[in-house]
Amino acid sequence: MASILRRRGLDPGKAPLTEDRPDSTDAYQREVYRQAWVNSLRVSGHNDYARFTLAKLHEDQFPDHVRTYVDKIVEVRQLNREQEKLPLDKRDIVRPTVQHLILHGSTGSKKTAAAAAAGAYAVERGLMARFVSHSKYLHWLRPDSAPAGLTHTQIVERYERCDVLVLDDLCQEMDEYATNHVRTLTSNLITARSSSGRGTIFTTNLNFDQVEEVLGERLASRIGGRALPLKLIGDDARKPQRW
């Protein structure tokens, strides 16, 4: 049981007792998903983003588009969850028309806040959502680098199999090209999610051509396929002091 809770991003020492569960099984499942979402923000160093919801987004963060995207993912995941109960040779996995939401724009344009609100809304709709930055995901796949003693396989499964993944800062801190190893790990993640009909939300400071230069034409095309790109425009919300 402790192992199952850890894989779901829960602290066994803080898990609620059986009698503390809500009467509704759906409500309890939603609480499990909420804890997993918040925990994914925490281990990624983005704990403060747990406060963002669609209601707190400004119009320039496209709350209506984000809501519509998540709603469509909910419809498809409900269909595919039933398909996943069938033998492999009998499954007919559905892929949503818009599977990838790409929030791009300059530094400080509140892309991550919008993505975090989308993840929180996905949880409200009954989906398992997780958050991780691209660079941190790659770092965790190095030997002995995963958090809380998780194995390489557990990290991969955690982010490949969640219903909605927020992959923050795509290609952050990378030069004009990525190593073959980085491309392979990134490709494996995105391909697994794409083929299973799961939704992925990307945030990035880069445009398509820049992502293509870093990750290569094939992987950039896979990210851009079935995608809705939304450009967030605005001054750096952090208002840094320049010197």
Side-chain angles (χ1 to χ4, degrees), residues 58-63 65-66 101-107 109-111 114 202-208 210 228-234:
H58 299 292
E59 287 303 312
D60 58 3
Q61 292 172 289
F62 303 103
H65 289 75
V66 171
L101 181 64
I102 302 174
L103 304 174
H104 65 105
S106 58
T107 299
S109 56
K110 299 175 286 188
K111 304 179 296 294
F202 301 89
T203 74
T204 183
N205 296 337
L206 308 182
N207 59 34
F208 180 89
Q210 292 169 316
L228 171 64
L230 299 175
K231 184 173 183 178
L232 280 73
I233 301 174

Side-chain angles (χ1 to χ4, degrees), residues 59-133:
E59 287 303 312
D60 58 3
Q61 292 172 289
F62 303 103
D64 292 338
H65 289 75
V66 171
R67 183 188 303 275
T68 299
Y69 166 78
V70 172
D71 288 342
K72 292 297 183 182
I73 295 297
V74 170
E75 293 178 14
V76 171
R77 284 304 299 148
Q78 289 172 342
L79 294 173
N80 286 338
R81 282 175 174 173
E82 294 303 314
Q83 291 296 315
E84 289 164 0
K85 298 176 183 177
L86 302 176
L88 282 172
D89 60 341
K90 296 185 181 299
R91 294 179 187 177
D92 185 16
I93 298 299
V94 179
R95 295 176 63 195
T97 303
V98 177
Q99 189 165 5
H100 300 153
L101 181 64
I102 302 174
L103 304 174
H104 65 105
S106 58
T107 299
S109 56
K110 299 175 286 188
K111 304 179 296 294
T112 301
Y121 179 59
V123 172
E124 289 180 19
R125 292 299 318 274
L127 298 184
M128 167 67 81
R130 293 192 188 276
F131 178 104
V132 71
S133 69

